[in-house]
Amino acid sequence: MAPTLSTAQFSNPAEVTDFVVHKGNGVKGLSETGIKALPDQYIQPLEERLINKFVNETDEAIPVIDMSNPDENRVAEAVCDAAEKWGFFQVINHGVPVEVLDDVKAATHRFFNLPVEEKCKFTKENSLSTTVRFGTSFSPLAEKSLEWKDYLSLFFVSEAEAEQFWPDICRNETLEYIDKSKKMVRKLLEYLGKNLNVKELDETKESLFMGSIRVNLNYYPICPNPDLTVGVGRHSDVSSLTILLQDQIGGLHVRSLASGNWVHVPPVPGSFVINIGDAMQILSNGRYKSVEHRVLANGNNNRISVPIFVNPKPESVIGPLPEVIANGEEPIYRDILYSDYVRYFFRKAHDGKKTVDYAKI
């Protein structure tokens, strides 16, 4: 049952915030009231609205890498090259079964289609575990302008913890998605590591590169005046590596390092979009690039995406790897506790690449 609210009730920004954030309706609930005009707090600053106008002005494209190529050195080279020049690439024939991808996408729709009171069991205030959070926008209390997105964020502790606390309606599909993509993630990290003189992913390196996992189920509902807002504002990820599953709607844009243009990442059926996160940029001493990206709002379609954030363990100290600075390369980042870095990211609104400067020497 869609929430009913007369648009008159929305003349007051506090009421919108209460409805969306505090009552847990999210922007999905707002969208389903049939509002015809975007509430003021979603209107982005001029700079962002201008980017919306100019996002499709280029024919550049991020690399698409076929992981089934029998020449594994070629694959590794393509991955490392894309990590240095783009910070983003798509992978096809990656070995994760298409049913697993379809199942987790269907589970995402099922979760967001639950009644509000069901989803509200998982808000920050109500959730029985800090590892599970249903929310909206990015950091509603820190942002001047809100983002047109709802999400369920799931931090993986253990199967048992997930059994106990994750929503039934999407738990198994999400666990299966994490499990079945592990082999591909390891492979990508091995390729990236070898190129940094990391001979093997031993236990120490594994906890540094992939010591913790978070999955977000993202929902971007139909938006009135999509050109005035964003689905997600400009930011780079704090992960080592992000593995993104997107549906067929599109809207993700990446900033080209070569030109500064915003480049659309077209949905390729059965593919993943892979991007380097800030942690990997720091560990590689700037060789691999964590690149700004953003998501447009959409006036015609509801969109979902399901990123896996592959992160260092929260208690890891991240800094340029010894293997990287062994050859006399000057470190450009200091050592920093990963959990402090993440806390800094979530304390503020999305602001492009400013987080990584926090770790600069």
Side-chain angles (χ1 to χ4, degrees):
M1 173 60 192
T4 45
L5 264 191
S6 69
T7 27
Q9 256 183 288
F10 283 150
S11 51
N12 176 346
E15 280 162 358
V16 179
T17 305
D18 187 51
F19 178 77
V20 174
V21 179
H22 306 304
K23 293 207 167 81
N25 289 287
V27 278
K28 182 174 187 285
L30 192 53
S31 173
E32 287 168 357
T33 64
I35 56 162
K36 295 287 179 273
L38 187 76
D40 286 355
Q41 58 261 67
Y42 288 92
I43 299 176
Q44 292 288 320
L46 179 64
E47 189 188 355
E48 296 306 316
R49 302 197 310 261
L50 280 173
I51 296 175
N52 287 349
K53 278 196 173 41
F54 295 111
V55 284
N56 294 322
E57 301 280 298
T58 176
D59 50 9
E60 293 165 276
I62 71 166
V64 178
I65 300 171
D66 184 344
M67 288 188 78
S68 67
N69 185 332
D71 184 349
E72 204 178 351
N73 289 336
R74 288 282 299 274
V75 178
E77 202 178 309
V79 165
C80 296
D81 192 56
E84 292 181 23
K85 295 195 173 80
W86 275 97
F88 263 84
F89 51 96
Q90 301 203 59
V91 292
I92 55 173
N93 300 323
H94 43 62
V96 185
V98 71
E99 307 75 78
V100 173
L101 309 187
D102 290 342
D103 287 351
V104 78
K105 285 193 279 194
T108 299
H109 280 288
R110 281 201 304 276
F111 175 79
F112 285 100
N113 286 330
L114 285 171
V116 173
E117 45 280 9
E118 282 301 306
K119 289 184 287 198
C120 275
K121 292 177 180 166
F122 304 103
T123 57
K124 188 179 179 181
E125 294 70 41
N126 300 337
S127 183
L128 299 172
S129 165
T130 54
T131 63
V132 178
R133 175 171 310 171
F134 166 61
T136 189
S137 193
F138 175 65
S139 290
L141 305 175
E143 294 164 304
K144 291 191 177 62
S145 315
L146 298 178
E147 302 178 348
W148 197 260
K149 173 186 110 168
D150 298 331
Y151 65 87
L152 175 69
S153 189
L154 302 165
F155 182 83
F156 181 78
V157 175
S158 66
E159 297 262 345
E161 203 269 355
E163 281 299 323
Q164 193 177 351
F165 296 112
W166 289 14
D168 292 344
I169 203 154
C170 55
R171 178 201 308 114
N172 295 346
E173 295 80 1
T174 307
L175 288 172
E176 186 72 351
Y177 170 47
I178 293 172
D179 185 57
K180 289 289 185 283
S181 59
K182 273 250 161 71
K183 197 171 148 198
M184 174 193 72
V185 168
R186 267 199 80 87
K187 207 64 187 146
L188 292 169
L189 289 170
E190 274 168 16
Y191 295 155
L192 292 165
K194 277 213 175 77
N195 189 40
L196 299 173
N197 301 320
V198 173
K199 301 288 177 273
E200 57 161 344
L201 274 189
D202 58 17
E203 258 177 69
T204 320
K205 288 294 184 284
E206 198 161 294
S207 91
L208 206 50
F209 285 149
M210 54 185 295
S212 68
I213 299 280
R214 179 184 294 281
V215 182
N216 277 11
L217 311 188
N218 292 328
Y219 193 93
Y220 302 92
I222 293 172
C223 180
N225 318 112
D227 46 331
L228 299 181
T229 189
V230 288
V232 179
R234 292 186 291 136
H235 69 288
S236 62
D237 296 347
V238 290
S239 56
S240 333
L241 210 56
T242 302
I243 313 299
L244 177 80
L245 174 63
Q246 58 170 346
D247 63 14
Q248 71 303 335
I249 305 299
L252 170 65
H253 289 82
V254 171
R255 188 173 228 161
S256 162
L257 287 168
S259 67
N261 291 328
W262 290 94
V263 179
H264 187 232
V265 180
V268 173
S271 73
F272 286 115
V273 179
I274 312 287
N275 66 281
I276 301 295
D278 292 353
M280 183 65 79
Q281 178 169 320
I282 292 167
L283 291 163
S284 72
N285 202 33
R287 183 183 302 185
Y288 300 143
K289 309 294 194 292
S290 169
V291 165
E292 273 186 273
H293 49 288
R294 69 202 295 277
V295 175
L296 292 177
N298 189 307
N300 305 310
N301 296 287
N302 300 312
R303 174 179 182 266
I304 58 157
S305 71
V306 195
I308 298 178
F309 299 102
V310 180
N311 306 315
K313 276 204 163 73
E315 62 275 20
S316 296
V317 172
I318 60 168
L321 291 164
E323 290 87 343
V324 175
I325 46 181
N327 58 10
E329 200 176 294
E330 273 300 307
I332 54 177
Y333 299 105
R334 60 194 169 95
D335 287 348
I336 185 169
L337 186 67
Y338 185 62
S339 56
D340 285 348
Y341 186 78
V342 173
R343 198 169 300 127
Y344 177 71
F345 176 66
F346 282 105
R347 243 198 356 237
K348 57 194 180 29
H350 279 147
D351 56 2
K353 286 281 305 169
K354 296 204 181 106
T355 315
V356 77
D357 295 341
Y358 179 66
K360 279 228 162 90
I361 282 179

